[in-house]
């Protein structure tokens, strides 16, 4: 039964988030729950994630991100095209660098290396990699480990190296009791109808993309000016963080340690590319470097958006860039891999 293991994961994640908040850890409810659940999973404690629950709270984050799409947020919208163009080149470059690392250093097979390196959605890369003959466990653990490392490193780095306050800003969103019935109905409708619409259109990352788009529309139209309540945002962070940690459940510690080591090295490669391309984009646009780092960082869409919210940066900009990256990778990765494999196979036969 998944429910008892899910309840245990959420309890451990909540405790971890609470302890992290007492210790003034950056982004405590996300990082605390993620670390606590990861430690529990590696210790053999039966924790689990449940995709429908995670998707539900991802929809909450989508509504929250959509509330950031105000006229003021588009003051630098003319720069978005340039930064997205750089993002496209970065995504292709980072994917190739990551593939080379996993192939030559980690010794993964060609298919596994390719889909472990592609900075796309975890579930999509696992599904595509499995369909083309890759090692499902390795691809899944590598992506989970990469998200874990990136989400742990960036808030601490932003706080210690750049002076950002990631702990004392408080949770985004109003108090639940102050919302009123009308605003609650509007926000709930954005989440439910946005998610359903995105699923009907078969859009990638539907739980966050649909609610974000509909929420952005109603906020730009002036229907409401508020976002989801802070209590719900905190719960969403616990659910998302616990889900990352629970992905390691049922895997032998030796396997986790080995893949975590390779994933950490691959993450260093990807973060180096992130910093380089973010610096390039900062030089040709008016967007600040920290915002671009979050927009290009090879972490999860929900996780990077939460960090942007905690830092008080342009969360709508960050979320949009991650959605573009996911759409690009999902749309291009399978065809590009088949083409590359065909070319390599022809060269091997000719040799």
């Amino acid at each position: 039964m998944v429910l008892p293991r899910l309840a245990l994961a959420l309890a451990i994640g909540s405790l971890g988030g609470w302890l992290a908040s007492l210790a003034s850890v950056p982004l405590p409810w996300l990082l605390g729950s993620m670390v606590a659940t990861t430690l529990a999973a590696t210790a053999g404690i039966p924790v689990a994630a449940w995709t429908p629950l995670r998707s539900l709270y991802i929809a909450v984050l989508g509504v929250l991100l959509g509330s950031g799409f105000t006229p003021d947020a588009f003051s630098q919208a003319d720069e978005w095209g340039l930064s997205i163009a750089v993002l496209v080149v970065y995504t292709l470059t980072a994917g190739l660098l990551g593939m080379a690392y996993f192939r030559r250093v980690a010794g993964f097979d060609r298919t596994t290396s390719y889909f472990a390196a592609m900075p796309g959605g975890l579930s999509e890369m696992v599904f595509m990699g499995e369909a083309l003959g890759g090692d499902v466990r390795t691809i899944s653990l590598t992506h989970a480990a990469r998200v874990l490392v990136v989400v742990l490193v960036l808030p601490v780095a932003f706080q210690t190296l750049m002076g950002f306050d990631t702990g004392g800003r408080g949770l985004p969103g109003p108090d639940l009791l102050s919302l009123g019935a009308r605003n609650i109905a509007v926000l709930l409708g954005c989440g439910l109808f946005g998610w359903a619409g995105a699923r009907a259109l078969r859009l990638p990352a539907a739980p966050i993309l649909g609610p974000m788009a509909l929420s952005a529309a109603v906020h730009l139209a002036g229907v409401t000016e508020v976002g989801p309540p802070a209590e719900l945002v905190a719960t969403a962070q616990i659910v998302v963080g616990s889900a990352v940690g629970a992905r390691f459940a049922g895997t032998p510690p030796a396997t986790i340690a080995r893949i975590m080591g390779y994933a950490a090295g691959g993450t260093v490669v990807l973060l180096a590319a992130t910093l380089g391309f973010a610096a390039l984009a900062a030089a040709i646009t008016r967007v600040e470097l920290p915002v671009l780092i979050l927009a290009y960082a090879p972490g999860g869409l929900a996780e990077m958006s939460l960090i942007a919210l905690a830092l008080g940066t342009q969360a709508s900009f960050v979320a949009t860039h991650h959605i573009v990256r996911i759409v690009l990778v999902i749309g291009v990765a399978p065809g590009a891999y088949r083409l590359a494999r065909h070319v390599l196979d022809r060269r091997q036969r000719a040799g």
Side-chain angles (χ1 to χ4, degrees):
M1 289 289 291
V2 70
L3 290 181
R5 292 183 288 132
L6 171 65
L8 183 57
L10 294 176
I12 292 172
S14 299
L15 177 61
W18 178 67
L19 293 175
S21 67
L22 293 180
S24 299
V25 171
L27 206 57
W29 295 104
L30 177 65
L31 298 189
S33 60
M34 188 169 61
V35 170
T37 314
T38 300
L39 292 175
T42 55
I45 296 174
V47 293
W50 190 39
T51 300
L53 180 66
R54 182 181 184 275
S55 297
L56 177 64
Y57 279 96
I58 289 292
V60 173
L61 297 180
V63 176
L64 177 63
L65 292 170
S67 67
F69 282 85
T70 62
D72 290 340
F74 289 98
S75 59
Q76 294 182 332
D78 57 323
E79 308 285 346
W80 290 29
L82 282 174
S83 62
I84 287 175
V86 175
L87 172 68
V88 172
V89 180
Y90 156 75
T91 301
L92 298 175
T93 304
L96 291 174
L97 288 174
M99 180 182 177
Y101 167 83
F102 287 123
R103 190 80 176 100
R104 298 178 182 177
V105 177
F108 297 167
D109 64 78
R110 187 192 304 167
T111 305
T112 302
S113 297
Y114 182 86
F115 286 97
M118 286 296 110
L122 183 148
S123 58
E124 291 84 3
M125 293 302 99
V126 169
F127 174 78
M128 293 176 185
E130 181 180 20
L132 292 170
D135 186 321
V136 175
R137 173 183 284 187
T138 299
I139 296 172
S140 176
L141 286 177
T142 301
H143 278 281
R146 187 191 74 237
V147 171
L148 179 68
V149 172
V150 171
V151 176
L152 285 174
V153 167
L154 284 186
V156 176
F158 274 67
Q159 181 167 288
T160 57
L161 300 179
M162 299 184 182
F164 278 88
D165 178 12
T166 57
R169 189 178 301 275
L171 291 167
D175 181 82
L176 176 62
L177 298 178
S178 68
L179 278 179
R182 177 182 175 277
N183 285 325
I184 291 175
V186 170
L187 296 175
L188 186 61
C190 287
L192 295 177
F193 292 111
W195 185 3
R199 286 190 62 184
L201 294 172
R202 299 182 181 275
L203 297 178
I208 195 168
L209 179 56
M212 186 178 77
L214 189 53
S215 176
V218 301
H219 282 85
L220 286 171
V223 177
T224 184
E225 297 180 353
V226 301
E231 298 88 347
L232 203 56
V233 175
T235 305
Q237 293 187 39
I238 293 171
V239 171
V240 171
S242 299
V244 173
R247 289 187 180 123
F248 296 97
T251 305
T255 301
I256 293 176
R258 178 176 61 85
I259 294 180
M260 281 285 288
Y262 289 136
T267 302
V268 170
V269 172
L270 294 178
L271 285 177
T274 297
L275 292 174
F277 279 92
L280 171 63
I284 62 176
T285 68
R286 294 173 294 164
V287 183
E288 297 179 349
L289 179 61
V291 178
L292 287 162
I293 291 174
L294 289 177
Y296 292 179
L301 165 59
E303 291 83 2
M304 292 300 98
S305 299
L306 280 171
I307 294 175
L309 288 166
L311 296 175
T313 58
Q314 301 175 44
S316 56
F317 177 93
V318 172
T320 299
H321 281 64
H322 279 280
I323 289 170
V324 170
R325 173 177 56 79
I326 291 171
V327 171
L328 175 67
V329 171
I330 291 174
V332 173
Y337 176 76
R338 292 190 181 94
L339 176 62
R341 185 171 63 179
H342 177 70
V343 171
L344 290 174
D345 289 344
R346 288 189 61 182
R347 287 181 179 177
Q348 289 177 355
R349 287 195 296 268

